[in-house]
Amino acid sequence: MTVTLADVAARAGVSSATVSRVLNGNYPVADGTRTRVLRAVDELQYVVNGPASALAAATSDLVGILVNDVADPFFGIVASAVQSEMGGEGATGTGQKLAVVCNTGGSPERELTYLTLLRRQRAAAVVLTGSAVEETAHSTALADRLRHLAASGTRIVLCGRPPLAPRDGTGEEPALAQDGIVTLAFDNRGGSHRLTAHLLTLGHRRIGYVTGPAERSTTRHRLEGHRRALGEQAPEALAEAERLTVHGGAYDRSAGYDGALELLRRAPDLTAVLAANDTVALGVCAALRDRGLRIPEDVSVGGFDDLPFAADASPALTTVRLPLHEAGARAGRLALGLETPPPGDVATVRADLMVRASTAPPAPR
Amino acid sequence: MTVTLADVAARAGVSSATVSRVLNGNYPVADGTRTRVLRAVDELQYVVNGPASALAAATSDLVGILVNDVADPFFGIVASAVQSEMGGEGATGTGQKLAVVCNTGGSPERELTYLTLLRRQRAAAVVLTGSAVEETAHSTALADRLRHLAASGTRIVLCGRPPLAPRDGTGEEPALAQDGIVTLAFDNRGGSHRLTAHLLTLGHRRIGYVTGPAERSTTRHRLEGHRRALGEQAPEALAEAERLTVHGGAYDRSAGYDGALELLRRAPDLTAVLAANDTVALGVCAALRDRGLRIPEDVSVGGFDDLPFAADASPALTTVRLPLHEAGARAGRLALGLETPPPGDVATVRADLMVRASTAPPAPR
DNA sequence: CTGTTAGCGCGTTCAT
DNA sequence: ATGAACGCGCTAACAG
């Protein structure tokens, strides 16, 4: 029923090994036979049997990309960037990687499940993107599984999340990993610090903050940058930072909307609100508007990530730009072994402040 | 190095066949042996070898989801809905499907490439989402490949795109397919018709339209609905519909921005602008604002899809709601054979008008 | 450069 | 209810 290597071989008058060789292009083959084989492949509409070749070669051409939420453009951009590097040579089956994105929904269990499924497929590489869940049981289970995978030949790249904790469990975020797992971390702390500093410099002192889910690394890092800036430039504001912080249940619009309302309840006189990311910021803006507050005249708003819509919002959103496409592409190349890993296998990706119309000096009282 | 079925068998003191049977749960196995085997599996951290089992069984647990643009929430929502149905039973390897999304970037070639890659993997099912490219050479090549795939046992579901043209090439969009390929089509014509009718009823007569890429089915269908409404309610407006239509190069924000500027150039007195979708509509809004026009006082704007951000835009966007999550979930169930296909294998998904703040009667002249 | 020969790890008859 | 044995389609030595 289905065409096999042997069929092609027979048709081309060569052995199946030869066919395999021209298809994979790993060994020298005479030009004449090569064209003959390719013609046979074409005539028979032959398609390699992936499982069979994966079994024999003990490795497949599957590359997994784990994301927390496919419906979030943040991940869409990163994923598409990773995939853009997998184009492949175009030859009949040569090097063509099948880059697939797996949606964990932010659930640690699904994350582990996907890892198992990818391991089962003998994936060539796995790229994990976005914030990690900071819960000891899960982090160690995850680190464990990733190290196993790495040991069994699957390349692992962490993009937009902190490095794995070292096996011995001492300290956090070691400067260098020792297991071949490459990390591209975003400078969330730095970016957040710059954003808050910008607000403080404008003269704001009562700054609300709607964070992301409490257990995620990104949430913590951005909050740390924020608090550090407060501590440095406005110690008095730091005192009530706790009261002006609301933890959102997700990185979504409604977290921003609800969070902003809660902040307004706690401190009707706040002059600025920072959000966990741009999507949350949009929710914040909606809530402020619904309360009759103008942006930025009455309240300034700041986001994070600089997703495409941030510049188009009205007013255009002041935010922190993360080079998502660039980072994703680099992660893709690292996953394919096309780029040499950074020293110590950990690199930090910059996060630049983008000042736009949603922030302005606070109104004189 | 890696643990195999045989290892588990040895540890449990049974044959590998038995282990296989408990893992797949297809044959009766004594309770005692079952637990013994499961314990061995656990102790050895055994993970099924996907390629090997796919080779032997001639089918894999991979399900492909093809999307035109992962970075577009439209597809993200559909994809995540499809995946949400693949949870699986949770048993050690039973039924767990690996749902993966493949980003075609709207390119026909990449679409075909992914189909080949999935065929190579002996995918259990493939879900194609979003608009199709309407170009004869490609549509026949695609239809061909899909029918081959379907014939070789891969379930095919079309979600948000029109049914395949019949093999004989006569007529378009047949009421019923005959190859087991299931289609969930969106009522783009109807939705668009209702949206334009809404504008006409408000009193608008000079309505600009920024479409999506010319060669896509969705573009054509939405435009047809628009024109039909014009023809029915305002034949005089239909006359200049051509002049008031601008074809965008993509379904993105800049297409909307540039398109709106072009429309303003052609007809400075237009009172409403319709966009190919919500993302494009956002670009339209940005352009109008940059030209000093207020929405909806000076110009009304309408979108399509009703993505989450549409309700949050300011002003909130009047648009046509597509039940993306619902449709995606259904597509997922169909792909798994969990739901019986609609009669004729083709179903049309409703598209409801959502009237919000971005549309209002035109200003009196 | 090319053919021959073993497996890769698992599902699946066919016996028992 | 369980075991033995074969073959899925391909790659990777090893000849030649």
Side-chain angles (χ1 to χ4, degrees), chain A residues 37-122:
Chain A
V37 167
L38 288 180
R39 191 153 43 77
V41 166
D42 203 53
E43 291 169 349
L44 264 41
Q45 293 245 55
Y46 171 71
V47 180
V48 192
N49 181 318
S53 93
L55 174 59
T59 174
S60 84
D61 49 10
L62 214 65
V63 174
I65 305 172
L66 267 58
V67 304
N68 289 330
D69 182 7
V70 250
D72 183 337
F74 175 96
F75 294 102
I77 292 169
V78 175
S80 97
V82 174
Q83 289 189 318
S84 71
E85 297 296 317
M86 311 269 154
E89 339 300 48
T92 316
T94 307
Q96 274 284 30
K97 297 294 180 193
L98 211 203
V100 300
V101 359
C102 308
N103 188 30
T104 66
S107 144
E109 295 76 37
R110 297 193 57 181
E111 190 166 75
L112 293 177
T113 301
Y114 268 121
L115 249 22
T116 301
L117 254 23
L118 287 166
R119 179 154 150 64
R120 174 181 307 179
Q121 301 295 332
R122 303 302 188 254

Side-chain angles (χ1 to χ4, degrees), chain A residues 148-169:
Chain A
H148 269 308
L149 261 174
S152 71
T154 296
R155 252 200 205 82
I156 310 282
V157 179
L158 268 30
C159 178
R161 72 159 63 190
L164 253 37
R167 208 155 338 191
D168 54 31

